[in-house]
Amino acid sequence: KIAATNAEGVSIETEFEVIPTLALNLSSAGPGELLTVTGTGFGYKTEVDIDFGISPVAKARTNEFGNFEVEFNIPEVKPGPYDVKALDKDGNLDKALFTTTAGAKLDKTTGSIAESVAVKGSGFKVGGTVTIDYDKLRVVTVTADNNGGFFATFNVPAGNSGSHVI
């Protein structure tokens, strides 16, 4: 309630509702990337559960103003849109839409000719073909699994030293 009283003692009251709000630092990214979730208007110094789709991914604690910030890695999920939800013990709830995209990581960033390199990826089309090129040379082709993920290895081909695009 918000109340105001003047010098003559006349007062008025009205109600004001604080609505919880959730914000994400990214709207889309690949699995494994770091996502920051910021909330305002939640309960006083309470625990907030964070879900990605239907999976719990993090917990946060609000401050005296009902605000929080938490980071977590985007889970290995199929590509597409997901709700990121925040819910506290008082039932305050908000959600934001996030879209997973394709992403891949190498097990190393330097190496020698003929050395084995592993590539792990996720967020690709389920059952889709994933091609891996070393500069313009195709080094391996794999099929994404039922979650849109893949794992492949290849040997570094002969060539010039220096940086290369994979």
Side-chain angles (χ1 to χ4, degrees):
K1 287 187 177 185
I2 298 174
T5 305
N6 67 13
E8 289 80 36
V10 177
S11 66
I12 187 167
E13 285 186 0
T14 189
E15 293 201 12
F16 181 84
E17 181 180 0
V18 175
I19 299 171
T21 303
L22 190 69
L24 309 175
N25 69 321
L26 302 170
S27 60
S28 65
E33 296 296 322
L34 194 63
L35 183 63
T36 302
V37 178
T38 305
T40 60
F42 286 81
Y44 171 83
K45 292 189 178 183
T46 189
E47 189 172 89
V48 179
D49 293 319
I50 310 296
D51 292 345
F52 190 94
I54 60 170
S55 303
V57 291
K59 290 189 180 290
R61 180 155 293 282
T62 62
N63 63 16
E64 66 272 18
F65 304 110
N67 302 332
F68 71 88
E69 183 173 294
V70 65
E71 295 179 327
F72 63 89
N73 294 95
I74 299 163
E76 301 281 333
V77 293
K78 295 177 184 179
Y82 292 86
D83 282 330
V84 177
K85 294 178 270 187
L87 174 66
D88 70 17
K89 293 179 182 180
D90 297 328
N92 295 304
L93 167 73
D94 195 27
K95 60 185 177 180
L97 187 63
F98 182 85
T99 302
T100 56
T101 59
K105 294 195 183 226
L106 303 173
D107 69 335
K108 58 187 84 162
T109 57
T110 62
S112 303
I113 292 173
E115 187 172 341
S116 179
V117 176
V119 184
K120 181 178 180 181
S122 55
F124 289 80
K125 181 180 177 186
V126 172
T129 300
V130 179
T131 57
I132 301 169
D133 297 340
Y134 182 93
D135 290 331
K136 294 182 180 181
L137 175 66
R138 175 93 7 107
V139 290
V140 67
T141 300
V142 294
T143 301
D145 64 22
N146 290 335
N147 290 318
F150 74 89
F151 180 82
T153 60
F154 67 92
N155 293 329
V156 176
N160 295 331
S161 64
S163 296
H164 298 271
V165 176
I166 299 175

